[in-house]
Amino acid sequence: MSKEFFERLRARAVRIDVEEHLRARVERGDKLRVKLGLDPTAPDLHVGHLVVLDTLRMFQDEGHTVVVIIGDYTALIGDPSGRSVTRPMLSEDEIARNAETYFKQLDLVLDREQIEVRHNSEWLASMTAADILRLMAKATLQQVLQREDFADRMKEGTPISAHEILYPFNQAYDSVAVKADVEIGGTDQLFNLLFGREIQKAYGLEPQDIAVFPLIEGTDGVQKMSKSLPNFIGLTEPPEEIYGKTMSIPDRLTEKYLRLISGLDAGQQAEVLAMKPRDAKAALAFQLVKRLHGEDAARRAEADFTRKFRERTAPDEMPEFDATNLDLVGALVASGLAPRGRGDARRLIEQGGVRVNDVKVGVDHRLEDGQTLSVGKRSFVRIRVR
Amino acid sequence: MSKEFFERLRARAVRIDVEEHLRARVERGDKLRVKLGLDPTAPDLHVGHLVVLDTLRMFQDEGHTVVVIIGDYTALIGDPSGRSVTRPMLSEDEIARNAETYFKQLDLVLDREQIEVRHNSEWLASMTAADILRLMAKATLQQVLQREDFADRMKEGTPISAHEILYPFNQAYDSVAVKADVEIGGTDQLFNLLFGREIQKAYGLEPQDIAVFPLIEGTDGVQKMSKSLPNFIGLTEPPEEIYGKTMSIPDRLTEKYLRLISGLDAGQQAEVLAMKPRDAKAALAFQLVKRLHGEDAARRAEADFTRKFRERTAPDEMPEFDATNLDLVGALVASGLAPRGRGDARRLIEQGGVRVNDVKVGVDHRLEDGQTLSVGKRSFVRIRVR
């Protein structure tokens, strides 16, 4: 059982440090504390987060404990630069509300009974200036600046506010405070996870094992799924939105979504992948709605999508458009849907008026052969690539 | 009076920021708070510190207040890296003892009545992690890394422990806590002084004016005077040592020492500089001992030096050595005083056995024509450069 769990974990992960150590602990049946840090300023999760959440659930199903750390202390401070009004201090009420929003989403995947909830104010609020000095003395500036975002900003000369250096230390110290055995995250978290190991060692603890997992691309098929882009599928969006947005992903992403966030086992995945591409994607969309809203909602969303799609894309009413490239802005202009040029096309996209296969898309969306492209309720064309 | 004071200040300083602002405040008769930070882990001062201390005394004589800040909090923490055993935590007793050692030396120059003594634990000990975050948010990492020593270490790849980033912030915050109007220092302190201005501004205070002053070279005539080199003249060394070491400086430094650390006024300095080089240097040596130990001690040190010099350098007993270059190690070898070669010469110097004009010298010492070079009590030669 534990052996099979570890093999599934390894198949999902991009990298595990230290693999043999974690394997031994899992197979020996140690009960592990698996850390998950949450930033209560940004409580909306998307299906990209299922990569990590499903992995945490796998740990829970093996009897391990997920330790959720709510970063309330940092949120209480807000953006301390005093220069930015975009990241204001949160009140305790707002933090509690945001944390509850988080847990509602976590409940879609995790077993609340096997979650230990901690707030980082428990250990950060009582730290003195001397404690911070001692913490920062555990690593060199050069180590911290290896972190990809810092390294990029140093190279480009983009200002790094000096207090930002503290965040990786605080985050790593969380692993000390909760005595984490394991921490997992997306590949973008690799530095933070490894840094947690270093800081635990410096405080005389056995370092946590870490595992990083792939990030999935959003509905545009190009950029990583992100709340700050119009390419995400929110965990709590209505069934019809989740279904329709999933139907708008490029076919080549179906396998990755299936493997990492569908919740289907290997046999079920293989069945889906044996279908025609359009049907496989529909099965994926059905499954995503099913796991987030239940089977009835999935059926309704599917029917709704099919009906709308049929109404809007009846072939006898729709002109075809031979696309020479699959750039959305270019296609809108060339097909006459955005008659006033590229600026017009961008504005239409930004206003949410542009749909591909009846799903709103962002400016980075890449078209595929056979898709319908529409602006507003009336104008649409079918894309053909010869 | 105030006008004349400012002109003397400006004549000593390498740079004043903001000159017109400080001039106006001084001439208006504002009572200013002039900051001096002390590190109680290293209480021994040398005559190089007189450049700044004499300037502080000038401020006191104008009725301004010198605010001495004892860095007890940092010293209590020690070197928090846990990797170095060379900078251990100091006990409160040791800090108090070191502070007293400092004040004994400050009393040689400053008027204790016009000193306000503060300990930085007053404001640092009560700072929380949030306060540190807010403090560090006031500047960018790139600003801090402009500091010369950091910039050099970044370029060379020499590790900078992350907590070192905090020191300039703490030091600058001291200016906020004591509401400093003015801070002065050596040219090596320029970054810290300017940073104090930035942090004061960020906390809504009027920024301090700053002035930096030259660093003086030590007895070797090459390196800046430093406790970590064998080129310093300690403020509390015995009269004979101060006199003899001063006599060992290169003639070309006499004017700089006179101008910056002799305590003589411009007219007196001109009188000394009108003498022959050897006599001018003797007058400087006399004056340094006089201001640090009193006139009687200066007379005794002078007599002692003259007697020993005569005994040891009687021309009829001494062979001459034609130096082709003025490198001390090379001359020791070539003259036969270090018969076993350069390694031997270095060892003799390190063991303190090598004297120039009867004063112990370090390995960087440059010889001048007419000086006597001796090893131990017996072997000596007179240097000749043709």
Side-chain angles (χ1 to χ4, degrees):
Chain A
M1 179 71 177
S2 295
K3 200 156 198 152
E4 183 261 332
F5 161 69
F6 189 80
E7 290 311 319
R8 280 192 295 135
L9 188 71
R10 210 182 56 161
R12 286 172 77 82
V14 173
R15 169 177 172 168
I16 298 179
D17 267 299
V18 177
E19 185 171 324
E20 286 317 306
H21 185 262
L22 181 57
R23 180 199 294 276
R25 297 198 70 180
V26 163
E27 293 185 0
R28 197 163 62 219
D30 287 3
K31 292 301 163 221
L32 303 175
R33 297 170 63 71
V34 189
K35 173 188 166 193
L36 174 68
L38 296 183
D39 168 11
T41 59
D44 290 321
L45 300 179
H46 53 64
V47 301
H49 293 110
L50 292 174
V51 181
V52 162
L53 294 179
D54 283 351
T55 311
L56 289 173
R57 177 68 201 220
M58 287 164 58
F59 274 98
Q60 285 190 328
D61 289 344
E62 284 290 302
H64 304 295
T65 301
V66 169
V67 183
V68 170
I69 298 168
I70 298 174
D72 64 332
Y73 192 67
T74 328
L76 270 174
I77 300 166
D79 181 342
S81 73
R83 292 180 199 130
S84 157
V85 288
T86 57
R87 215 182 132 189
M89 203 165 105
L90 294 188
S91 70
E92 287 186 40
D93 270 3
E94 286 168 307
I95 291 168
R97 243 192 335 267
N98 286 347
E100 200 35 52
T101 306
Y102 254 127
F103 278 108
K104 277 205 192 106
Q105 297 169 86
L106 296 185
D107 286 347
L108 295 169
V109 181
L110 298 177
D111 174 7
R112 179 95 74 123
E113 297 295 309
Q114 278 172 281
I115 293 179
E116 175 181 319
V117 181
R118 305 290 293 271
H119 294 73
N120 70 3
S121 58
E122 281 178 52
W123 46 89
L124 290 183
S126 58
M127 276 184 128
T128 64
D131 293 329
I132 297 288
L133 261 178
R134 284 190 204 101
L135 173 56
M136 294 184 76
K138 307 295 189 198
T140 69
L141 190 61
Q142 285 93 340
Q143 270 177 284
V144 179
L145 292 179
Q146 280 167 26
R147 202 169 88 154
E148 206 177 348
D149 56 341
F150 287 156
D152 289 347
R153 286 158 72 190
M154 286 297 281
K155 208 160 53 188
E156 293 159 9
T158 314
I160 301 172
S161 183
H163 77 279
E164 296 181 64
I165 296 298
L166 262 173
Y167 288 111
F169 282 95
N170 285 344
Q171 191 274 150
Y173 189 77
D174 290 349
S175 290
V176 174
V178 305
K179 296 193 171 56
D181 297 307
V182 179
E183 186 169 6
I184 70 172
T187 47
D188 57 340
Q189 293 297 308
L190 179 62
F191 171 87
N192 284 335
L193 273 44
L194 289 171
F195 200 54
R197 285 177 57 84
E198 293 308 312
I199 298 299
Q200 283 181 313
K201 270 190 251 179
Y203 280 87
L205 298 181
E206 189 179 0
Q208 63 191 10
D209 292 311
I210 66 151
V212 293
F213 296 86
L215 300 174
I216 63 171
E217 292 78 13
T219 53
D220 58 5
V222 178
Q223 309 257 33
K224 301 302 172 194
M225 189 176 289
S226 161
K227 251 184 44 181
S228 56
L229 296 173
N231 74 351
F232 68 91
I233 308 175
L235 281 191
T236 56
E237 288 196 78
E240 292 73 19
E241 282 294 308
I242 295 174
Y243 194 99
K245 284 186 174 183
T246 306
M247 291 306 287
S248 77
I249 69 171
D251 289 344
R252 64 185 153 75
L253 278 185
T254 302
E255 184 274 339
K256 191 172 184 183
Y257 275 47
L258 264 178
R259 180 163 46 84
L260 291 167
I261 63 170
S262 70
L264 296 177
D265 66 29
Q268 294 167 316
Q269 290 175 32
E271 275 178 43
V272 172
L273 288 173
M275 303 175 186
K276 277 187 284 187
R278 203 259 169 210
D279 296 338
K281 192 153 62 179
L284 167 68
F286 185 92
Q287 169 60 18
L288 277 176
V289 178
K290 180 179 161 191
R291 63 174 301 195
L292 296 170
H293 289 280
E295 191 157 357
D296 286 351
R299 262 192 228 104
R300 280 195 303 274
E302 184 181 49
D304 177 77
F305 183 83
T306 310
R307 181 179 53 76
K308 281 197 193 140
F309 189 74
R310 204 179 297 127
E311 280 172 11
R312 293 198 167 191
T313 59
D316 51 329
E317 311 172 12
M318 199 177 346
E320 295 202 340
F321 168 66
D322 282 355
T324 51
N325 72 58
L326 299 171
D327 163 55
L328 180 60
V329 171
L332 283 167
V333 176
S335 65
L337 290 174
R340 263 160 279 149
R342 296 182 67 86
D344 188 34
R346 282 176 187 283
R347 205 157 33 245
L348 288 167
I349 297 167
E350 277 159 23
Q351 289 164 354
V354 176
R355 290 175 175 250
V356 171
N357 284 5
D358 207 34
V359 174
K360 275 181 212 165
V361 289
V363 78
D364 286 329
H365 189 88
R366 306 282 301 170
L367 297 167
E368 298 193 350
D369 183 46
Q371 290 183 320
T372 61
L373 173 62
S374 59
V375 174
K377 301 248 175 214
R378 281 186 301 265
S379 337
F380 46 89
V381 295
R382 186 184 303 280
I383 300 298
R384 284 290 167 221
V385 184
R386 320 269 168 185
Chain B
M1 179 72 176
S2 295
K3 199 156 198 150
E4 183 260 333
F5 161 69
F6 189 81
E7 290 309 320
R8 281 192 295 134
L9 188 72
R10 209 182 55 161
R12 286 172 76 82
V14 174
R15 169 176 171 170
I16 299 178
D17 266 299
V18 176
E19 184 171 326
E20 286 317 307
H21 185 261
L22 181 57
R23 179 199 296 275
R25 296 198 72 179
V26 163
E27 293 186 0
R28 197 163 60 217
D30 286 2
K31 292 300 165 225
L32 303 175
R33 297 170 62 71
V34 189
K35 173 189 166 193
L36 174 68
L38 296 184
D39 168 11
T41 59
D44 290 320
L45 300 179
H46 54 64
V47 301
H49 292 110
L50 292 175
V51 181
V52 162
L53 293 179
D54 284 352
T55 311
L56 289 173
R57 176 68 199 218
M58 285 164 59
F59 274 99
Q60 284 191 328
D61 290 343
E62 285 290 303
H64 305 296
T65 301
V66 169
V67 183
V68 170
I69 298 168
I70 298 173
D72 64 333
Y73 191 68
T74 326
L76 270 174
I77 300 167
D79 182 342
S81 73
R83 290 177 200 133
S84 158
V85 289
T86 56
R87 216 183 132 187
M89 201 165 105
L90 293 189
S91 70
E92 286 186 40
D93 271 5
E94 286 169 307
I95 291 168
R97 242 189 341 265
N98 286 349
E100 200 36 51
T101 306
Y102 253 129
F103 278 107
K104 277 204 192 105
Q105 298 169 88
L106 296 184
D107 285 347
L108 294 168
V109 180
L110 297 178
D111 175 7
R112 179 93 76 123
E113 298 295 308
Q114 279 172 279
I115 292 179
E116 175 182 319
V117 181
R118 305 289 293 272
H119 294 73
N120 69 4
S121 58
E122 281 178 51
W123 46 88
L124 290 183
S126 58
M127 275 183 130
T128 63
D131 294 329
I132 297 288
L133 260 178
R134 284 189 204 101
L135 172 55
M136 293 184 78
K138 306 294 189 198
T140 69
L141 190 62
Q142 285 93 340
Q143 270 177 285
V144 178
L145 292 179
Q146 280 167 25
R147 204 170 86 155
E148 206 176 348
D149 56 341
F150 286 156
D152 289 348
R153 287 158 72 190
M154 286 297 282
K155 207 158 54 187
E156 293 159 10
T158 314
I160 300 172
S161 183
H163 76 279
E164 295 182 64
I165 296 297
L166 262 173
Y167 288 111
F169 281 96
N170 285 344
Q171 192 274 151
Y173 189 77
D174 290 349
S175 290
V176 174
V178 306
K179 296 191 169 57
D181 298 306
V182 179
E183 186 169 5
I184 70 173
T187 48
D188 57 342
Q189 293 299 306
L190 179 61
F191 172 87
N192 283 336
L193 273 45
L194 289 172
F195 200 53
R197 285 177 58 84
E198 294 307 313
I199 297 299
Q200 282 182 313
K201 270 190 250 180
Y203 279 88
L205 298 181
E206 190 178 1
Q208 62 191 10
D209 292 311
I210 65 149
V212 293
F213 297 87
L215 300 174
I216 63 171
E217 291 79 12
T219 53
D220 57 4
V222 177
Q223 308 257 34
K224 301 303 172 192
M225 189 175 287
S226 162
K227 250 183 45 182
S228 56
L229 295 173
N231 74 352
F232 68 90
I233 308 174
L235 281 191
T236 56
E237 288 196 76
E240 293 73 18
E241 282 294 308
I242 294 174
Y243 194 99
K245 284 186 174 183
T246 306
M247 291 306 288
S248 77
I249 69 171
D251 288 343
R252 66 185 152 76
L253 277 185
T254 302
E255 185 274 338
K256 191 172 183 182
Y257 275 47
L258 263 178
R259 181 163 47 84
L260 291 167
I261 63 169
S262 71
L264 297 176
D265 67 29
Q268 294 166 317
Q269 289 175 32
E271 274 177 43
V272 172
L273 288 173
M275 303 174 185
K276 278 189 285 187
R278 203 261 170 211
D279 296 339
K281 191 152 62 179
L284 167 68
F286 185 91
Q287 170 60 18
L288 278 177
V289 179
K290 179 178 160 190
R291 63 174 301 194
L292 297 171
H293 288 281
E295 190 155 0
D296 286 352
R299 264 194 225 98
R300 281 195 305 274
E302 183 182 49
D304 177 76
F305 183 83
T306 309
R307 181 180 52 76
K308 281 199 192 138
F309 188 73
R310 202 179 298 124
E311 281 173 9
R312 293 197 166 191
T313 59
D316 51 331
E317 309 172 11
M318 199 179 344
E320 294 202 339
F321 167 67
D322 284 354
T324 51
N325 74 57
L326 299 171
D327 163 55
L328 180 59
V329 171
L332 283 166
V333 176
S335 65
L337 290 174
R340 264 162 278 146
R342 296 183 66 88
D344 188 33
R346 283 177 185 282
R347 206 158 32 246
L348 288 166
I349 297 168
E350 276 160 22
Q351 289 163 353
V354 176
R355 291 174 174 251
V356 170
N357 284 6
D358 207 35
V359 173
K360 275 182 211 162
V361 290
V363 78
D364 287 330
H365 189 88
R366 305 283 301 170
L367 296 166
E368 297 193 350
D369 183 47
Q371 291 183 323
T372 61
L373 173 62
S374 60
V375 174
K377 300 247 173 218
R378 282 185 301 265
S379 338
F380 44 89
V381 295
R382 186 183 301 281
I383 300 299
R384 284 289 168 221
V385 184
R386 318 269 171 186

